[in-house]
Amino acid sequence: MHGAGSGPWIFEPWRCCFEGWRIELADLQAGLDVTKASMADYTGVVERATTRVPRPLVLCGWSLGGLVVLMAVARVRPDLVVLLEPSPPAEVQGSDPGLPLVFGTFDPEGAYGPFPEGVPPRPESAVARAERKRGISVPSLSCPSVVVYGHEFPEDRGRAVAALYGSETLEFPELPHWGLVLDRRIPETLASTIARLLA
């Protein structure tokens, strides 16, 4: 599951690293009015995308997509979850229910900085972002998990999330947030890690 303002194409190069696996690249905005799309709407996309996927099932999410994966676990019941510097749940970042919900879209490059060359940005849901800032509670997981993090968010999207869920961790201190989806070493390492954990 991709991050805010990006799309499923960000994971396309990963396909060659998971020989023998069926890879589904879900578009979290598919079929939605992005000006009104909520985090629950994004979670619904994941649920629909996994309806006919064979087991074992691994859900993988990066940034915004990581929190969507966490929200989907209770209904989808995956065998394993992989979180790449996920947007943190309320148990890590705290809650502020008084923050207003603003509908419409925002420019992800204006909010997060320029996207890497060759990675097209697209408008992102303002209400989903407001919900994340308010805090979304995911107190526990019903399956094993792996948290991958680099040097930009090692605590609140790395070690703190792993401590909350008792996750295995993979640290890449040389990589920025974008590097966790763009660097070939990540899927190569995850391929062996997933095989080991599901054995």
Side-chain angles (χ1 to χ4, degrees):
M1 311 305 159
H2 58 84
S6 66
W9 51 83
I10 199 73
F11 284 109
E12 194 63 44
W14 285 40
R15 288 187 184 277
C16 62
C17 297
F18 292 90
E19 186 176 349
W21 284 80
R22 173 177 165 181
I23 306 295
E24 294 285 338
L25 304 180
D27 185 346
L28 296 178
Q29 295 186 11
L32 300 178
D33 178 351
V34 72
T35 66
K36 300 175 183 177
S38 67
M39 290 295 288
D41 291 330
Y42 288 162
T43 304
V45 171
V46 176
E47 292 177 29
R48 291 189 294 276
T50 56
T51 300
R52 289 182 285 278
V53 174
R55 300 283 172 157
L57 172 64
V58 180
L59 292 183
C60 176
W62 170 62
S63 201
L64 154 73
L67 183 54
V68 172
V69 162
L70 289 173
M71 294 170 65
V73 165
R75 294 180 65 89
V76 174
R77 296 289 185 181
D79 298 281
L80 179 68
V81 163
V82 176
L83 306 167
L84 311 171
E85 280 188 347
S87 297
E91 286 75 15
V92 171
Q93 78 163 20
S95 299
D96 188 354
L99 284 175
L101 292 178
V102 180
F103 290 85
T105 62
F106 70 93
D107 172 14
E109 289 192 302
Y112 307 127
F115 278 28
E117 185 177 352
V119 179
R122 60 178 173 172
E124 182 56 68
S125 167
V127 69
R129 186 182 191 210
E131 289 175 327
R132 295 194 299 280
K133 289 183 174 293
R134 279 184 165 199
I136 295 175
S137 177
V138 185
S140 62
L141 296 178
S142 58
C143 65
S145 53
V146 178
V147 174
V148 184
Y149 60 94
H151 66 73
E152 284 194 65
F153 305 103
E155 290 299 329
D156 60 333
R157 296 185 180 216
R159 288 183 281 268
V161 173
L164 174 64
Y165 300 123
S167 311
E168 184 162 324
T169 59
L170 294 173
E171 182 180 8
F172 291 83
E174 72 282 9
L175 293 181
H177 191 56
W178 278 103
L180 298 181
V181 285
L182 298 178
D183 193 294
R184 176 70 178 260
R185 288 171 292 174
I186 301 298
E188 290 175 344
T189 302
L190 282 173
S192 59
T193 301
I194 290 169
R196 171 173 56 81
L197 292 175
L198 294 180

